[in-house]
C-alpha cells in the first residue's frame, strides 16, 4: 500500500473574459465622474473578447458586466452594444437596487463567447446629465463640483458543455 500527497499554494487568475480599454486588458475599470455639466454626455467605449495576443480561448466563456456607482450626481448611465447601438442595460434605481453600502449595483444578462472563433463584443457606456430635473427646472451647477465613480467589472466563467 502506498500513498502520495501533494499540495501547492499557488494562485491562478481565474478570470477568463477581460475588458479591453485603451489597449489594456482589465478585469475592472473605474471611471471618475467629475466636472459634469447639466446637458452634457460622456461616452466610453470598451470591448470584451475571447482572445489574447491573437490566441483564441480553447473553451467557451460566459460573462456578465456589472456597473456599480454611488450615483451621487443625478446622471443617466446606459450601456449600449456599439455595433448596432441597441440598449444592453439602463443602470438606474427603477431597474436595479442599492446594496448595504448604498451603491447602485447593475448587472447585464449573461453572454457567451464561443471557443471556435475569435469574438469581440464592443460596448459603449453613455453617461448623460439631463439639463432639467423632474420638475423641469434647470439643474444647479453645484453638481459639477461633486465627484463620483462608475466601476465596470467583468464576471466570467468557463462554460461547461
Amino acid at each position: 500500500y502506498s500513498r502520495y500527497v501533494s499540495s501547492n499554494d499557488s494562485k491562478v487568475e481565474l478570470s477568463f473574459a477581460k475588458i479591453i480599454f485603451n489597449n489594456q486588458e482589465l478585469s475592472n475599470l473605474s471611471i471618475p465622474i467629475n466636472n459634469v455639466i447639466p446637458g452634457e454626455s460622456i461616452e466610453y467605449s470598451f470591448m470584451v473578447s475571447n482572445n489574447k495576443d491573437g490566441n483564441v480561448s480553447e473553451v467557451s466563456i460566459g460573462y456578465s458586466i456589472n456597473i456599480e456607482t454611488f450615483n451621487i450626481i443625478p446622471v443617466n448611465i446606459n450601456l449600449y452594444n456599439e455595433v448596432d447601438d441597441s440598449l444592453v442595460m439602463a443602470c438606474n434605481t427603477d431597474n436595479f437596487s442599492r446594496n448595504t453600502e448604498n451603491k447602485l449595483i447593475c448587472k447585464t444578462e449573461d453572454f457567451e463567447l464561443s471557443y471556435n472563433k475569435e469574438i469581440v463584443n464592443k460596448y459603449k457606456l453613455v453617461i448623460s446629465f439631463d439639463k432639467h430635473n423632474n420638475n423641469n427646472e434647470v439643474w444647479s451647477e453645484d453638481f459639477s463640483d461633486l465627484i463620483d465613480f462608475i466601476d465596470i467589472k467583468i464576471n466570467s466563467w468557463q462554460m461547461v458543455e
Side-chain angles (χ1 to χ4, degrees), residues 8 16 30 33 66 73-74 95 97 110 113 132 136 141 155:
N8 188 340
F16 297 99
S30 189
I33 307 294
N66 278 21
I73 302 171
N95 298 323
S97 59
D110 294 344
L113 298 171
H132 298 91
N136 207 25
E141 297 218 2
N155 299 315

Side-chain angles (χ1 to χ4, degrees), residues 10-26:
S10 66
K11 293 186 179 180
V12 178
E13 172 68 43
L14 293 178
S15 177
F16 297 99
K18 300 281 188 187
I19 298 170
I20 302 170
F21 181 76
N22 288 340
N23 293 321
Q24 293 182 340
E25 290 184 4
L26 309 164

